[in-house]
Amino acid sequence: MVTVTAETSLSSSLDDAWAALGRRATYFYFPGVTRSPAGAALDHALDLPIVDRQEQVATLSIDRPSRPSPLEGRGQGEEAHRERRFTLRGELVTISGRWRLEPTDAGVRVRLTLDYDVAGPLKTLAVNTLRSRSPLPIRTDADEILSRAVDEFFETRFAEQAANYCERLRARLDGTKAGRPA
């Protein structure tokens, strides 16, 4: 499992950010994710180091926690209001994400944490591809060295994708707010 985080700030209210992160369309800004012509499933093109472009069909689930009532105010109930979870599940990579929202004077600070579970066959493909390109001598620990290298390559790419996603989402949500009539 690889875990990466990224942050951005939105110039919107906590409620607007919360609502946007509950919409399915918000997740189409994730790198490589597009609507599938097949319906509910999504197409997910994985642009990963070492291996050629891989594609998977993925399903998206967004947790729908109940919102605190207005009577709960800003006490204990708000904590649930500040975190939204989602899962993008595919046969090659499953991504479990958590959005953490914190109100600021200028809007909302958003922290995205992504847990990537890379399927064994994809990691094996990456290790074997790296092995075929590597001048490493034959050693008993070569597979472990290559496996760590693959993990580092994937982690770097996943961190880039998380930052890219936050930036695309920020641009979209701030652009939508700017385009609203006053």
Side-chain angles (χ1 to χ4, degrees), residues 89-166:
R89 185 176 314 281
E91 65 275 4
L92 299 174
V93 175
T94 295
I95 305 166
S96 300
R98 294 177 306 283
W99 291 102
R100 177 86 177 136
L101 287 73
E102 297 177 25
T104 65
D105 292 338
V108 181
R109 182 173 56 223
V110 179
R111 179 181 176 99
L112 173 63
T113 302
L114 298 173
D115 296 321
Y116 286 82
D117 187 10
V118 178
L122 180 58
K123 185 163 181 183
T124 299
L125 173 63
V127 168
N128 289 340
T129 302
L130 191 57
R131 180 186 297 114
S132 71
R133 297 176 187 169
S134 175
L136 284 176
I138 302 299
R139 295 173 21 176
T140 56
D141 61 347
D143 279 351
E144 184 59 32
I145 293 168
L146 294 173
S147 181
R148 280 193 305 247
V150 165
D151 289 343
E152 288 175 14
F153 288 137
F154 283 176
E155 184 174 357
T156 299
R157 182 58 54 93
F158 294 152
E160 291 168 356
Q161 290 179 351
N164 181 293
Y165 180 39
C166 281

Side-chain angles (χ1 to χ4, degrees), residues 17-36:
W18 177 257
L21 295 175
R23 291 186 204 111
R24 182 175 169 85
T26 299
Y27 298 87
F28 297 144
Y29 296 99
F30 194 89
V33 173
T34 57
R35 297 170 203 243
S36 173

Side-chain angles (χ1 to χ4, degrees), residues 12-99:
S12 62
S13 71
L14 185 63
D15 287 339
D16 287 346
W18 177 257
L21 295 175
R23 291 186 204 111
R24 182 175 169 85
T26 299
Y27 298 87
F28 297 144
Y29 296 99
F30 194 89
V33 173
T34 57
R35 297 170 203 243
S36 173
L42 302 173
D43 290 330
H44 187 191
L46 300 167
D47 180 19
L48 300 173
I50 306 168
V51 296
D52 291 330
R53 179 182 168 110
Q54 301 289 311
E55 295 184 11
Q56 68 178 3
V57 174
T59 57
L60 173 66
S61 60
I62 304 168
D63 284 355
R64 305 264 185 222
S66 61
R67 292 179 56 163
S69 74
L71 299 176
E72 290 174 339
R74 298 206 178 269
Q76 185 179 10
E78 188 180 18
E79 196 64 29
H81 185 73
R82 292 187 190 174
E83 186 172 278
R84 186 174 292 278
R85 295 177 180 263
F86 67 94
T87 304
L88 185 65
R89 185 176 314 281
E91 65 275 4
L92 299 174
V93 175
T94 295
I95 305 166
S96 300
R98 294 177 306 283
W99 291 102

